[in-house]
Amino acid sequence: MKPGLYDVVFSPELAGIFVHESVGHPFELDRIMGREGAEAGESYMSLEDLGKRIASEHVTIIDDPTIEAYGFYLVDEEGVPARPRRLIDRGVASEFLSNREYAAYVGRLSNAAARASEFDKEPIPRMSNTYLAPGDWDPEEIIRDTRRGIYVASYTEWNIDDRREYGRYGILEGYVIEDGELKEPVLGFIEAESRAFWSSVDAVGKDLKLYIGTCGKGNPSQGVPVTFGGPTFRARGIRVV
Amino acid sequence: MSWLAESLIRLLRGKAGEAAVVVRESEEYLIRFANDEVTVADSWRSYEAGVYLAKGRRVAVAGFSGSSEDILRQALSLAEALDKYPEDPYYVPLSPKGPRPFPNAARPFDLNKALDLVWEAIQAARAEGAERSAGALSYAVRSTHYADSLGNSMSYKDSAAVGVIRAFIGRDLAATWAAASRDYLSLGLKEAGARAASIAGAAKGLPLTRLENGNYRVLMSGLVLGHLMGYVISAWSSALNVLTGVSKYGPNDLGSEAASSLLTVYDLSLKEDRVGSAPFDYEGNPTNDTPVFEKGVLKSFLHNNRTAAKLGVSSTGNAAGPGGWTSPAPRHIGVAPGDMASDLDDALKELGKGVYIHNNWYTRFQNIREGVFSTVGRDVILVVEGGAPKYRARGVRIAERFDSLLRGVEALSKSAEQIHWWDMPYPATAPALALYGSLALAY
């Protein structure tokens, strides 16, 4: 299919990789404040972005360690009781992931994101179970409502820059949508600039699913168990090449 | 920790027909810094054990870490499960041939000296125009012991130092330099700081542009070349990948012209001053400096005893780490230098019109056999016209195939240096710069 801008419907699997890479990581407060600058990188977010609109009103992204999934915990590695964190609340940047140290730098209390992969590793701000909150669309309804676009069911060869601004996701399984119906298979890449991408979301489904993974960060590198997911959703005018 | 290796063998000898263990004890030191301040000064001790067991033709291998009690318990569990394993078509009996001579030297770590090095690097970066820097100095002193059920044992001591500094100007401009050495006092971290800041400064004041997807002449730093060659060598020259069809190459491709005649790439497992080299591998065999590509010709695959037996050759000593008992792997990527200038300004003139990519990360694959990958540019990306930087760009990827990396080299710098950092798959000795006639870049 010709490279260009398309309305794209993404499966829960795609919702997962998007929330993890383009929202979860850049909302880690130690990144935002430069501590990971030489390794995992920094962030397109700044302290001043808190309270500002960075996504459409349909987008709420939550990181919740209290869900009994692969990223579950009730108390973080610094003894802070866990609770859900609304990173983006109806499009507005609402909360960063912090440990005690980085919360103190900005005059706040830790929101229990301090995790360490082993007893002798330092606790640093990490994700747990991160997801795009469900909306009120049936997933099939989103496809039926799309005149001409692409449905992406699964991805391959993804990567993103170290400020988490420019993501690129290979389409492993995708289909052309014509007049609300899935047609022939399609391959290609989704190019997603994080803020523009989340600002273009106009429909979010009910079918929340979580996927497990091991998230890497830190020096020495610490892999911690996480889940990431969401429901089927649609973003308008996305560059597909 | 030789006692742990010997204890493991005593424990496992009765449970398996053959047993080999490699125990490594590491003293690790780490200083991290960000925003020109030290954020972590830490040290710790770690223990790892690789265990190989065979009973008849049933084989089990695993790597364990933790306390000695944990390691002994896990090794025992592995042995007790051995009867459940299928017969291994690659099985060969243990046949260690012993170590190479090795210096067995490591400088003790001095935290105050190391902190001085970090501070000097930060100051050097500031003097060259950096507004802030982040980075790390890490150092490990390691003792490694091999023992097996045939009664063989061998040991060595070595060290590894890595220094990295990333200099920032504002939020948008950054450049990294990274060095590796056996000795943390010889990293040249101060020079790395000045160099990183100077490269970041090359983009200062340049207008930002968006590169369209397409093919460009590309100049890349040794950081990018070393990173990508690490993936090429590990994916395509591991003999297990050759035997199982994961590599593009088959056994009959040896001797073929597989790369530019300018390209010579070795696995430097023997060269003592290269980080990662060792006197023996996990099969107790002597290591080698193995040519993979020599002036563009595919010369050798990397072997352990198992793959070598299948192809009727000798092991190259690349059973590197517990995974090396099954799949041979490189330890240190050596790319031979060429005759291009090592100075960036001079090399940009050689580039003429094209793109300079200083660093990269997040390399991912669609198809390893075809070598289809992309990797994200990081730090400054310069769009060059008339031999001088004209614009800077962001969000640029190299989206290519391994074959293009191997065949498309037009020039390599005269000087090569030892480098490694957090997102490089293996330590490398790589020319400062590499020029490619055409590589596909994507947004």
Side-chain angles (χ1 to χ4, degrees):
Chain A
M1 104 181 272
K2 273 182 66 176
L5 302 179
Y6 293 89
D7 296 341
V8 184
V9 180
F10 294 104
S11 71
E13 185 180 319
L14 271 292
I17 194 70
F18 286 134
V19 297
H20 183 89
E21 302 292 2
S22 71
V23 176
H25 276 306
F27 274 62
E28 293 160 347
L29 190 53
D30 57 341
R31 273 178 180 273
I32 293 167
M33 297 184 70
R35 189 179 196 262
E36 293 288 318
E39 291 103 350
E42 298 192 339
S43 175
Y44 66 85
M45 296 295 291
S46 67
L47 294 176
E48 295 72 34
D49 286 327
L50 217 52
K52 290 184 182 167
R53 175 164 297 283
I54 62 161
S56 82
E57 62 189 12
H58 305 283
V59 175
T60 292
I61 293 173
I62 298 168
D63 184 84
D64 185 357
T66 68
I67 296 173
E68 292 191 36
Y70 198 46
F72 169 78
Y73 59 90
L74 290 178
V75 178
D76 81 352
E77 299 282 345
E78 294 178 327
V80 180
R83 64 169 175 81
R85 283 82 58 133
R86 294 177 87 84
L87 306 180
I88 299 178
D89 190 355
R90 288 162 291 172
V92 175
S94 171
E95 190 170 12
F96 296 137
L97 294 169
S98 65
N99 57 0
R100 287 180 186 268
E101 179 187 1
Y102 278 83
Y105 290 146
V106 296
R108 289 173 178 254
L109 293 175
S110 167
N111 55 16
R115 300 186 70 184
S117 61
E118 292 164 296
F119 77 93
D120 58 352
K121 301 291 186 298
E122 58 172 352
I124 53 177
R126 307 299 298 264
M127 284 173 269
S128 57
N129 303 302
T130 316
Y131 63 95
L132 173 65
D136 54 7
W137 289 66
D138 286 323
E140 296 79 11
E141 190 186 357
I142 300 177
I143 292 170
R144 278 201 302 274
D145 186 66
T146 304
R147 294 301 92 206
R148 177 159 173 75
I150 296 169
Y151 172 67
V152 184
S154 188
Y155 65 92
T156 179
E157 192 203 307
W158 85 98
N159 45 33
I160 192 164
D161 71 298
D162 61 302
R163 281 176 42 162
R164 307 276 161 176
E165 243 174 333
Y166 305 101
R168 183 174 182 262
Y169 303 82
I171 300 171
L172 182 62
E173 182 185 357
Y175 304 91
V176 169
I177 302 174
E178 276 181 8
D179 295 327
E181 290 186 3
L182 298 184
K183 299 291 186 180
E184 65 271 23
V186 65
L187 293 175
F189 287 90
I190 304 293
E191 293 180 352
E193 289 186 35
S194 298
R195 287 186 201 231
F197 178 83
W198 289 110
S199 296
S200 68
V201 172
D202 76 336
V204 179
K206 299 173 179 174
D207 53 331
L208 171 65
K209 286 184 187 168
L210 295 176
Y211 298 83
I212 64 167
T214 299
C215 174
K217 181 184 168 187
N219 183 4
S221 193
Q222 298 190 52
V224 297
V226 295
T227 66
F228 34 80
T232 301
F233 73 102
R234 180 175 62 198
R236 300 278 196 182
I238 298 301
R239 181 168 293 278
V240 183
V241 297
Chain B
M1 293 297 276
S2 57
W3 67 268
L4 180 56
E6 302 297 339
S7 299
L8 279 163
I9 288 301
R10 276 199 301 277
L11 179 74
L12 298 169
R13 186 179 278 127
K15 309 277 182 188
E18 296 172 280
V21 302
V22 178
V23 173
R24 171 170 284 181
E25 179 183 6
S26 303
E27 298 166 34
E28 310 261 4
Y29 305 92
L30 174 69
I31 300 170
R32 294 180 74 193
F33 55 100
N35 300 317
D36 290 355
E37 292 182 347
V38 170
T39 55
V40 174
D42 198 3
S43 66
W44 65 96
R45 192 173 288 259
S46 66
Y47 304 97
E48 299 165 11
V51 176
Y52 171 93
L53 301 171
K55 195 172 187 179
R57 298 180 67 87
R58 301 176 196 279
V59 172
V61 301
F64 304 120
S65 61
S67 68
S68 52
E69 291 82 2
D70 287 341
I71 290 170
L72 286 162
R73 189 168 49 247
Q74 292 175 97
L76 200 54
S77 297
L78 184 72
E80 284 166 355
L82 193 52
D83 285 333
K84 298 174 187 165
Y85 282 66
E87 289 198 346
D88 179 358
Y90 287 83
Y91 167 79
V92 290
L94 290 176
S95 57
K97 295 183 175 57
R100 302 272 189 199
F102 201 67
N104 291 303
R107 182 189 295 278
F109 188 71
D110 182 323
L111 177 62
N112 287 325
K113 279 185 183 169
L115 286 168
D116 286 345
L117 295 177
V118 165
W119 182 243
E120 286 171 10
I122 291 169
Q123 293 305 312
R126 287 195 80 89
E128 282 292 326
E131 294 171 5
R132 62 191 172 96
S133 295
L137 188 161
S138 62
Y139 186 58
V141 177
R142 304 176 295 215
S143 298
T144 304
H145 306 274
Y146 170 97
D148 66 30
S149 54
L150 302 174
N152 299 293
S153 65
M154 53 193 100
S155 300
Y156 71 94
K157 182 176 184 179
D158 74 337
S159 58
V162 174
V164 57
I165 181 165
R166 192 178 192 196
F168 291 84
I169 301 171
R171 270 173 65 83
D172 275 359
L173 303 183
T176 300
W177 199 252
S181 172
R182 287 293 191 188
D183 181 359
Y184 71 96
L185 295 182
S186 306
L187 281 169
L189 198 57
K190 180 179 175 182
E191 293 74 19
R195 187 171 175 179
S198 165
I199 293 165
K204 199 171 178 181
L206 294 178
L208 186 64
T209 190
R210 176 182 165 138
L211 275 189
E212 293 304 318
N213 295 354
N215 281 63
Y216 294 83
R217 277 172 71 75
V218 171
L219 183 71
M220 64 175 69
S221 80
L223 296 176
V224 183
L225 183 69
H227 172 117
L228 294 175
M229 284 300 158
Y231 280 114
V232 174
I233 298 302
S234 63
W236 275 8
S237 69
S238 168
L240 184 69
N241 288 358
V242 172
L243 286 162
T244 55
V246 176
S247 169
K248 173 192 174 173
Y249 302 128
N252 296 330
D253 288 323
L254 287 178
S256 64
E257 287 183 14
S260 158
S261 61
L262 300 174
L263 196 63
T264 292
V265 186
Y266 272 64
D267 168 51
L268 297 177
S269 279
L270 174 59
K271 197 171 169 53
E272 299 162 356
D273 63 351
R274 302 296 100 171
V275 167
S277 67
F280 58 84
D281 73 356
Y282 271 51
E283 291 179 320
N285 281 330
T287 56
N288 292 282
D289 290 338
T290 302
V292 177
F293 301 104
E294 206 162 60
K295 295 182 178 174
V297 175
L298 181 62
K299 295 293 283 189
S300 178
F301 301 125
L302 304 181
H303 282 285
N304 56 21
N305 279 337
R306 297 152 56 84
T307 61
K310 282 281 182 199
L311 291 176
V313 296
S314 298
S315 171
T316 54
N318 283 97
W325 271 310
T326 51
S327 183
R331 293 185 183 80
H332 187 109
I333 307 298
V335 184
D339 56 11
M340 185 175 69
S342 299
D343 176 77
L344 180 59
D345 289 339
D346 292 339
L348 290 178
K349 291 185 179 72
E350 191 85 16
L351 173 66
K353 182 177 169 61
V355 180
Y356 171 65
I357 300 178
H358 178 68
N359 197 7
N360 68 309
W361 87 319
Y362 223 131
T363 302
R364 290 291 184 274
F365 298 88
Q366 271 187 56
N367 182 330
I368 291 174
R369 182 186 168 93
E370 299 292 327
V372 181
F373 74 96
S374 66
T375 191
V376 187
R378 166 176 172 132
D379 292 340
V380 296
I381 294 167
L382 302 175
V383 180
V384 177
E385 291 179 11
K390 187 92 172 173
Y391 303 97
R392 63 187 175 91
R394 291 194 306 202
V396 174
R397 289 164 172 73
I398 301 171
E400 262 295 358
R401 291 169 180 260
F402 284 171
D403 261 333
S404 303
L405 293 174
L406 294 172
R407 295 181 182 278
V409 179
E410 277 194 359
L412 296 163
S413 287
K414 289 174 188 167
S415 64
E417 50 206 317
Q418 197 173 173
I419 50 179
H420 196 211
W421 75 283
W422 189 78
D423 200 49
M424 267 182 89
Y426 300 95
T429 298
L433 296 159
L435 178 62
Y436 280 83
S438 176
L439 287 178
L441 303 183
Y443 190 64

